[in-house]
Every structure is written in structure tokens, then in C-alpha cells.
Amino acid sequence: MIEAKSLTMHYGTTRAVEDVSFRVERGEILGLLGPNGAGKSTIMNILTTQIAPTSGTASIEGFDVIDQPIEVRKHTGYLPENVPLYMDMEVGEYLHFVAEGRGLQGSELRERLDWVIVKCGIKAMLRRLIAQLSKGYRQRVGLAQALVHDPKVLVLDEPTSGLDPLQIIGIRDLVKELSADKTIIVSTHILQEVEAISDRIIIINEGRIIADGSRVELQQRAAQGASRMVALKGDPSAILGNLRELPRVRKVTQLEAVDPDGVCIFAIESEVGQEIWLDLAQMALQNGWLIKDSWEQKPSLEEAFIQLTRATTQPQ
Ligand code: ADP
Ligand code: MG
């Protein structure tokens, strides 16, 4: 389990993280989504005892990151944004070195090494120098070192950045598989990434949490701005006035000027989940308007993300 309570990190006058609290339970994958500079790596560095917060607390499997850093490290696997690999070591040699450093010995060490080598798909690379590996394989070796001591908690900082689509799918599948008996936190600045991988999403901007919910909840939240679009032929100002009288309608906007056929497009925002289509058709019939076309326009999670981050970004 991961728990963060009111984490705050200031670097001089830079407020990198501000009052961030969350919990991640066993079996859960939390996606930390935010633009570059949002504070994702800082939060992960605190959770993995690389840096101490200015204020607030955090714990991993019940161990406090400040008071019990050794215990925290034992239970945590960390894939930093830039994996510190030893370029002049061979892959197998490096993993052996890391495993020993984490206290593994003898048959247990061999078993763990065999397991991560298969899981991370690096068997063919064991005798390669790390310096000669492609970005994709370096990332897999980074993941292997994070997993070698079979930690209960995994902290993965932008694990798929710079990888090609096939490699990305490979890492995603592995992370999902690992989540069966681990608690995982994954950061990314790419929305599709977090949608594909996480059960729960926290969006952060300028160090603060601006949304926290399941993927479905955030998608529903985004859908609240859905509009029914309708192309109508009739007197635009009369249409506008009448549409605004419809029940459950929040807002009506006339989008474009009347086209040569006398058709004009209106966007109708209504309450969540309320379909106004029938009322609209009836009103058109009564008033003699012609309906040329109608469609629903849902904002994507991407638009919701952009809107949320814009709304919370302070002017410079
Ligand atoms: P992210 O990982 O979301 O891109 P970071 O946590 O790396 O964000 O950075 C958050 C903010 O803190 C940024 O403004 C960054 O410039 C600043 N920052 C990060 N590390 C340091 C540091 N060691 N010293 C000073 N400022 C830092
Ligand atoms: Mg980062």
C-alpha cells in the first residue's frame, strides 16, 4: 500500500508539490497524469526516499519514508525517469550486481534473476553491454532492476517514454500482469497512456491534485460538457429563443451564420445523461423548422484534461 499525506516540496521559491494526498491499495494501478513540470517525478522521488519532502508524510507498506527508509526501499521497486545504468557492464552482470546489492544470495538470487529476465524479455541481451542496448531494451533492464527483489510496491516514472508502439504495449501488459499482487504507481504526461494502463487517475498540475477518480468517473466528468448539435432551417432568433425554453437545457449557442440554404447550427447543452432529442423533434414539428442533421458532440478525456489544467494554471 502507498499513502501520501499533504506532501509538499519547495525548491527555493519553486513550489514543485503542494499538499498532495492519496492512497493506493494492493492490486491497484494509480496513474499520475500531468504536463511536464507538474511535480510527478518529485512525488515519486519522495515515495522512494530519494528526497525528503519540505512537509507532509508518506508511507510504503506502512513504513514511513523519512523514519524507515531502509524498510521502504526493501519493499519498493523504482524505475526512475532516467535509469541509472552502468554503461560498461553487461546486462546479466549488472542485474546480478543489483540483486546482490539488494541482499539476494544463492538459489534465491538465481531464481529471481531467471524470473525477471524472462518477464522483461531480456534473455537474448544478457551478454550485451548496456551501452549497446536500444532505448527499449534499456527500459526493460531498468524494469528488471526494479523487480529483482520482488517488491510489493512499484513506482514507475514515465516507463514508456521514448519507446515504439510495440514496446509500449509490451510494458503495459507487463505492468497489468504485475498489478495482480502489487501496488503500482505510474506517471505519464500522455493521456492515452494513463487511460490504457490505470484503474485510477490523479491529474496534477503545478504541484496540486486537480482531479482524482476512476477512469470512468473522469470520462463521465468530461462528458458533462456534451452537446446535442442540430442543424435547423428556420428563423434563427426564434429558434434560439424557443430552444432555450426546452426542459433540462442549460445552454444554447448558435454556432455558425445561416448558410445559403437557410440552415443554421445550434449547440444544446443539457443536464448529464438527459436526452433532449424527442422534445427537440416535437418543437421543430410544431414550429415548422426543418431538421437537416443532428449529432452528439462529446468532449474527449483529452479535452477535459486540457480544460482542467488550463483552469488551474496560474498566469505567469
Ligand atoms: P514532472 O516530473 O511532472 O515533469 P518534476 O517533479 O520533475 O515534474 O518538477 C516539478 C517542478 O520542480 C518543476 O518546476 C521543476 O523545474 C522543479 N524541480 C524539480 N527538481 C528540482 C530540483 N532538484 N531543483 C530545483 N527545482 C526542481
Ligand atoms: Mg518527471
Side-chain angles (χ1 to χ4, degrees), residues 27-296:
E28 214 179 11
I29 306 178
L30 171 72
L32 203 55
L33 175 69
N36 289 325
K40 305 179 294 295
S41 296
T42 303
I43 292 171
M44 292 186 147
N45 280 325
I46 296 171
L47 293 178
T48 54
T49 75
Q50 311 296 313
I51 55 173
T54 308
S55 64
T57 58
S59 67
I60 299 281
E61 296 289 298
F63 297 106
D64 188 276
V65 295
I66 298 162
D67 298 336
Q68 298 157 293
I70 309 235
E71 288 298 327
V72 168
R73 284 174 190 217
K74 249 188 229 169
H75 294 286
T76 313
Y78 176 40
L79 176 70
E81 207 166 11
N82 299 303
V83 191
L85 297 171
Y86 296 97
M87 291 298 162
D88 55 354
M89 271 186 169
E90 289 177 3
V91 171
E93 184 189 6
Y94 167 73
L95 289 176
H96 195 276
F97 167 77
V98 172
E100 275 185 342
R102 304 242 173 98
L104 295 171
Q105 294 174 339
S107 61
E108 194 194 3
L109 183 146
R110 277 255 58 89
E111 277 166 28
R112 284 307 306 165
L113 279 183
D114 288 347
W115 187 86
V116 292
I117 287 163
V118 171
K119 276 291 165 219
C120 298
I122 48 179
K123 207 170 172 62
M125 298 293 144
L126 292 179
R127 300 301 311 270
R128 279 289 175 89
L129 280 179
I130 290 176
Q132 293 167 355
L133 294 181
S134 65
K135 168 89 184 158
Y137 274 111
R138 269 187 211 175
Q139 204 69 357
R140 290 194 214 187
V141 173
L143 204 54
Q145 68 73 31
L147 285 169
V148 76
H149 54 302
D150 198 17
K152 288 280 170 255
V153 171
L154 270 183
V155 178
L156 310 175
D157 199 354
E158 312 233 4
T160 57
S161 80
L163 302 189
D164 69 36
L166 265 183
Q167 294 168 331
I168 290 177
I169 291 169
I171 299 265
R172 274 183 199 163
D173 289 347
L174 179 58
V175 170
K176 279 189 190 156
E177 189 189 328
L178 291 167
S179 75
D181 69 337
K182 297 193 192 301
T183 310
I184 304 181
I185 172 166
V186 181
S187 75
T188 176
H189 63 280
I190 302 160
L191 187 91
Q192 288 81 352
E193 195 54 42
V194 81
E195 281 189 290
I197 230 172
S198 317
D199 317 314
R200 215 178 104 214
I201 301 173
I202 284 182
I203 303 179
I204 63 166
N205 190 40
E206 298 190 340
R208 288 180 186 277
I209 294 182
I210 56 171
D212 179 354
S214 70
R215 179 177 50 220
V216 176
E217 277 164 7
L218 293 185
Q219 273 160 346
Q220 277 170 351
R221 202 163 139 179
Q224 285 182 11
S227 301
R228 159 68 49 189
M229 309 295 285
V230 60
L232 289 169
K233 183 172 173 167
D235 171 24
S237 56
I239 292 175
L240 205 56
N242 277 298
L243 289 178
R244 286 182 177 146
E245 298 298 310
L246 280 173
R248 298 188 299 274
V249 163
R250 271 202 306 249
K251 191 178 168 198
V252 185
T253 333
Q254 181 179 341
L255 287 193
E256 286 165 29
V258 184
D259 75 3
D261 294 335
V263 175
C264 188
I265 298 173
F266 299 88
I268 308 169
E269 277 177 43
S270 60
E271 286 162 30
V272 195
Q274 297 291 352
E275 191 44 271
I276 52 137
W277 177 238
L278 275 179
D279 291 338
L280 173 66
Q282 209 163 27
M283 182 176 266
L285 203 64
Q286 279 166 3
N287 290 278
W289 308 330
L290 289 176
I291 300 177
K292 184 182 174 193
D293 203 355
S294 178
W295 64 97
E296 202 183 350

